[in-house]
Each structure stands twice: as C-alpha cells, then as structure tokens.
C-alpha cells in the first residue's frame, strides 16, 4: 500500500471508485477479493446520498476506529439479510468480517451503547459501522445452539480461560476481547504513527503545536518504568527501560533482567502462595511493549495465555468511560494501548476543568457567587465541585498502564480488582508524565485563583 493512499484519504465527494479502492486497502482478508469489492461497492453506492454517514465510514475504516464515528446505516431487508454476489448474510456481520475480524461468527457481535441503529434494535435502518460493534466470544465456539442460560460460566482454571465469560449484572460484557488480526493486516501495516493522519478536527497547526510543546523539554532517558506485583504487593525493584530500547519484553523466565528484558521468573516473594506460583508458570514468553514515535505504546502478547489490560485509550476506542472496561488481549495479538497525543489533550482538558471548578468554588466560599445572568450561574455547582475534586492522582492515572498475566478481573471474573490477580505489572510512561508536569506548571490546580 503506498503512503499516498493512506495520507490522502478520500471524502464523500470523491468518485465511488476511489473510495472503494481506499476501503479495499483496509480489509482483513477473510473474504475473497471479488466478494469484498462487491460488498464495499454496494455500500458506498447506498451511502452516496448520505454524505455525513459515508464520511463517518471512511474515517472509521481508514483510522482503524481511532476516533468516535456516527452510525452508518442501510435499509433493513424483510428477512434482515443482505445479498452480495449471490450470498446472503447479516449486513453488520458482513462488514465487521471484512474490516475487523476475518474469522467472525454471526453470533459474536454485540453493539456498543451509543449505536442508535444496531442490528439488534430492529429499527428500519441498520448500522453497519464495524466500530459500533464489539466481539464478545472467543473463536472456535459455536453458540448458535445454546440458550442464554446454558452459556458457559467462567471457571477459574487455565483450560477455561478462553471460554466466553458470563456477562456483568446488566448483561453487558465488561471484558472487551482483542483478537489477533492476520499478519500484515492494517494493525501491522499502518502502525507507524508517521503514516496515520492527524486526529479528526486537528489541523496541521495543532499538530505542530504539539511538536513544539514536545520540543520544550528533552525526552526522558528512560521511556517507561515497570513495577511487578503479586496481589497487592510489589515484588522486586522497579525496572526502568532506557530510551535506547524502544521494545522491551516482560517474561516469566529466570534469566537476569537488563536493557530490553525484564524477567519475572527470578523474583522471590516470601508471601507467595501456591496459586500465585501456579499462575506464574503460565506467564511464559509474556508480552512485548513497544514505544513508537514520541510515546505511543503497542503491546504484543507472546504468551500462550491472554493478558488483561487497563487502558484508557482502548476504553475510548470502545466507546467506554475511562476505567470502565478490562481488555483481554489474546495470544499473538498486536494492539495499540496508549496514544500520547490523546493523553496530552485529555490531561489539558481535565486540568483546565479542575482549575475553573476550583476557582468557582473558591469564589462561592468567598461569597462572590456569580448571578444567574453571568456565565456559569449557580446551577452547575455540583458538577463543579466534582470537577474540582480531580486531583493530580487522577491525571497521573492517564499516564499509567496496568496489565495482568493469565488471570482477568472485573465483573466477568471472580476477582474485582487487578490487585486480586496473582501476577501483574504497572507501567509508568515517562514522556506522558513529563508532559503532565508541564501541564500542571501552566495550570496550578492546587492553588486556585478566585475569579475576578
């Protein structure tokens, strides 16, 4: 794929042919080329009169879902299925197979909360945006014959780890699954940040503002530090990864650690239980963390068992509130878990909100409550006090990744918190923490100035 076709993303005003060509470049290879082309052509033609939806589709597909996008809808047929090149299938499954999961089964999709025209909602229009659906069952299990009550519950043993988990109390899966894409799929090809277009709505000016901001301080000598925990106890020293090693492996072997390899096998802990000992045996080849560009982070699962990740970037990708989900990353999957630019924007927004809120609170305490006619009025006092409660710790959390080996946690598992899992790591991202430091210096949250 030439760099041109990635950077010069088409818009809804372009000819159908060039839009189809661009979208073909992002398919996952689960379908033959003729079928894929017919399916994409048919969709683009249907959307030609709905320019905003077509643009949403183009953005979603060409950025691998990096930005929230609108519903992309087509009319529901009588039996709900769509015919393409002599084959019939459910429309949302056809396009999710094309662009996201080549081995998808028709019963594995669940729509995200904010999708208004999801297939299951039975509206006259059906949303076929592949990034408005999540995959909720591991491959190789046919659930078509099962009723909901007979769906397997999670057993807390290794051979059951890859079975579908039962839902949280509200029937919503809190564990979001990330399967490996085929080798050389879009995740691999377009992973270098240089090839990705700047985020939606950002002009080249804001991109250069980011660069110049970044140039303000020298980049840290160590790009991250990794602390290893068993339950709620840190074991061993924190491991620092030098900037000269953009890729680091964290594994379960007993070799000495150093440079680009942190070996957990040789760390001793007097409080270690048999259950922890057993789980540690399954870390195996562990994970590879890769720092790209100035501070984006990608994870590759090298272990034979899934790893479970807490990542605000992936939460946002899945349309979730930060900290609301746990992400299950399957063996051999390679996935982006942290975006420096997005994190920087988020910390600036949160710090600014907290500063305004703290100032408004201080003014209220001093008796200078602005009247209803002025901006702000008195109504938002409650949300203001909540925002004023955003502390430095909340902002630091944006710069930290947590990852559990072998065992999951959250509503789908017996363990509620990562601190109840047998072996996990916490990764502090130094470039992000450095940017946070700069944000805090420009916006002193701790010492709010009263409003004039």
């Amino acid at each position: 794929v030439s760099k041109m076709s990635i950077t010069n993303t088409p818009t809804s005003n372009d000819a159908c042919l060039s839009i189809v060509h661009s979208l073909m470049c992002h398919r996952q290879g689960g379908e033959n080329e003729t079928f894929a082309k017919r399916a994409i052509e048919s969709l683009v033609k249907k959307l030609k009169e709905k320019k905003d939806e077509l643009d949403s589709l183009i953005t979603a597909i060409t950025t691998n879902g990096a930005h929230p996008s609108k519903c992309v809808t087509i009319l529901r047929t009588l039996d709900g299925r769509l015919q393409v090149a002599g084959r019939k299938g459910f429309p949302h499954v056809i396009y999710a197979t094309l662009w996201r999961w080549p081995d998808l089964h028709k019963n594995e999709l669940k729509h995200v909360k904010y999708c208004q025209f999801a297939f299951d909602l039975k509206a006259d229009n059906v949303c076929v945006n592949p990034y408005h659906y999540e995959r909720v069952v591991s491959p190789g299990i046919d659930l078509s014959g099962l009723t909901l009550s007979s769906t397997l519950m999670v057993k807390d043993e290794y051979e059951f780890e890859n079975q579908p988990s039962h839902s949280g109390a509200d029937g919503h899966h809190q564990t979001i699954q990330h399967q490996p894409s085929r080798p050389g799929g879009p995740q691999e090809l377009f992973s270098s940040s240089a090839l990705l277009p700047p985020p939606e709505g950002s002009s080249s000016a804001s991109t250069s503002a980011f660069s110049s901001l970044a140039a303000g301080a020298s980049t840290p000598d160590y790009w991250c530090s990794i602390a290893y925990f068993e339950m709620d106890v840190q074991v061993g020293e924190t491991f620092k990864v030098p900037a000269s090693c953009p890729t680091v492996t964290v594994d379960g072997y007993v070799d000495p650690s150093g440079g680009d390899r942190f070996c957990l096998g040789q760390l001793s802990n007097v409080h270690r239980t048999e259950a922890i000992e057993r789980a540690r045996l399954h870390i195996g080849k562990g994970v590879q963390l890769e720092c790209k560009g100035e501070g984006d982070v990608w994870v590759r699962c090298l272990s034979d068992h899934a790893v479970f990740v807490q990542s605000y970037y992936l939460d946002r990708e899945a349309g979730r509130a930060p900290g609301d989900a746990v992400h299950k990353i399957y063996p051999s999957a390679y996935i982006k878990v942290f975006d420096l630019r997005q994190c920087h924007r988020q910390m600036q927004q949160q710090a600014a909100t907290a500063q305004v809120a703290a100032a408004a609170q201080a003014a209220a305490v001093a008796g200078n409550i602005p009247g209803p006619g002025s901006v702000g009025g008195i109504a938002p006092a409650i949300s203001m006090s909540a925002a004023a409660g955003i502390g430095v710790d909340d902002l630091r959390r944006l710069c930290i990744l947590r990852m559990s080996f072998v065992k999951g946690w959250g509503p789908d598992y017996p363990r509620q918190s990562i601190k109840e899992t047998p072996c996990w790591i916490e990764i502090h991202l130094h470039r992000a923490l450095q940017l946070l430091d700069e944000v805090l210096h420009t916006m002193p949250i701790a010492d709010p100035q009263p409003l004039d």
Side-chain angles (χ1 to χ4, degrees):
V1 178
S2 72
K3 192 183 264 195
M4 284 297 288
S5 65
I6 299 161
T7 47
N8 295 354
T9 308
T11 70
S12 55
N13 294 321
D14 285 294
C16 283
L17 201 65
S18 59
I19 297 173
V20 170
H21 174 75
S22 174
L23 296 177
M24 280 288 284
C25 296
H26 292 265
R27 65 198 179 91
Q28 294 287 309
E31 297 287 2
N32 71 53
E33 193 164 345
T34 315
F35 179 83
K37 195 166 184 195
R38 293 277 285 278
I40 296 172
E41 275 171 355
S42 143
L43 181 57
V44 170
K45 280 177 186 155
K46 285 176 182 148
L47 296 173
K48 218 32 187 156
E49 300 308 308
K50 299 191 276 189
K51 290 194 182 303
D52 55 335
E53 292 189 25
L54 182 50
D55 280 324
S56 263
L57 176 73
I58 294 168
T59 301
I61 303 307
T62 56
T63 65
N64 297 328
H67 310 293
S69 49
K70 297 193 193 100
C71 286
V72 175
T73 62
I74 60 173
L75 273 175
R76 181 183 291 272
T77 57
L78 279 175
D79 68 352
R81 293 185 302 166
L82 184 69
Q83 183 149 346
V84 176
R87 281 166 46 190
K88 276 194 157 192
F90 294 120
H92 62 313
V93 177
I94 289 175
Y95 294 107
T97 306
L98 260 179
W99 284 309
R100 291 194 74 182
W101 302 286
D103 57 348
L104 185 67
H105 186 275
K106 68 175 185 286
N107 294 327
E108 293 179 347
L109 289 183
K110 186 173 178 67
H111 63 88
V112 295
K113 284 177 184 167
Y114 53 85
C115 181
Q116 296 169 308
F117 295 98
F119 183 80
D120 292 343
L121 298 179
K122 304 277 193 284
D124 291 343
N125 287 311
V126 180
C127 177
V128 294
N129 183 338
Y131 292 93
H132 276 203
Y133 295 89
E134 289 163 8
R135 187 175 188 175
V136 290
V137 175
S138 37
I141 297 166
D142 181 1
L143 288 188
S144 53
L146 291 179
T147 60
L148 196 64
S149 58
S150 65
T151 303
L152 291 158
M153 301 293 267
V154 171
K155 299 282 193 302
D156 200 24
E157 274 310 317
Y158 304 105
E159 62 269 27
F160 290 101
E161 283 286 340
N162 279 351
Q163 302 287 8
S165 55
H166 63 282
S167 310
D170 60 352
H172 192 86
H173 281 262
Q174 302 296 328
T175 308
I176 297 171
Q177 322 223 347
H178 299 271
Q179 309 282 355
S181 59
R182 70 191 176 88
Q187 290 277 43
E188 299 265 344
L189 281 175
F190 310 139
S191 56
S192 101
S193 48
L195 294 185
L196 289 176
E200 200 173 17
S202 77
S203 60
S204 50
S206 68
T207 311
S208 61
F210 180 81
S211 308
S212 59
L213 176 147
S218 59
T219 47
D221 295 338
Y222 297 92
W223 71 265
C224 76
S225 50
I226 306 170
Y228 168 65
F229 293 83
E230 292 177 357
M231 312 293 272
D232 57 354
V233 177
Q234 182 174 348
V235 177
E237 298 287 311
T238 298
F239 183 79
K240 288 182 165 181
V241 184
S244 57
C245 300
T247 302
V248 60
T249 305
V250 183
D251 60 40
Y253 299 121
V254 293
D255 303 320
S257 297
D260 65 353
R261 190 166 171 216
F262 184 18
C263 295
L264 306 177
Q266 39 95 13
L267 299 174
S268 57
N269 171 13
V270 291
H271 304 292
R272 186 172 292 157
T273 62
E274 200 180 321
I276 294 174
E277 196 67 78
R278 239 190 359 257
R280 276 168 53 83
L281 294 174
H282 292 270
I283 297 172
K285 293 179 182 172
V287 292
Q288 204 171 53
L289 305 169
E290 190 176 350
C291 180
K292 293 197 172 189
E294 199 185 329
D296 292 354
V297 180
W298 291 65
V299 166
R300 191 185 298 275
C301 179
L302 304 174
S303 171
D304 292 337
H305 293 275
V307 292
F308 297 82
V309 178
Q310 187 178 53
S311 151
Y312 288 177
Y313 169 77
L314 287 177
D315 293 343
R316 193 166 159 156
E317 286 267 271
R320 293 297 185 79
D324 182 40
V326 178
H327 300 268
K328 182 174 185 177
I329 299 183
Y330 281 84
S332 81
Y334 177 57
I335 191 162
K336 184 176 182 176
V337 291
F338 180 80
D339 184 291
L340 185 70
R341 193 178 269 138
Q342 181 198 297
C343 176
H344 183 238
R345 270 202 308 269
Q346 213 170 338
M347 60 176 81
Q348 281 179 318
Q349 284 164 3
Q350 284 192 2
T353 308
Q355 191 187 25
V356 171
Q361 256 191 332
V365 170
N368 311 332
I369 298 175
S374 65
V375 178
I378 205 165
I382 294 169
S383 59
M384 277 297 189
S385 66
I390 295 175
V392 176
D393 280 353
D394 297 284
L395 292 167
R396 279 179 66 83
R397 217 163 282 147
L398 298 172
C399 313
I400 293 170
L401 294 167
R402 286 175 156 187
M403 190 178 301
S404 164
F405 294 98
V406 188
K407 295 292 186 179
W409 77 96
D412 294 345
Y413 292 89
R415 298 160 292 272
Q416 288 315 294
S417 138
I418 194 169
K419 292 183 177 180
E420 294 169 34
T421 63
C423 36
W424 58 281
I425 53 176
E426 184 170 88
I427 303 143
H428 289 239
L429 302 170
H430 294 187
R431 183 67 186 116
L433 288 163
Q434 190 181 38
L435 289 179
L436 175 58
D437 211 37
E438 291 174 22
V439 168
L440 294 178
H441 276 103
T442 52
M443 303 179 180
I445 301 179
D447 184 18
Q449 301 301 313
L451 293 169
D452 293 336

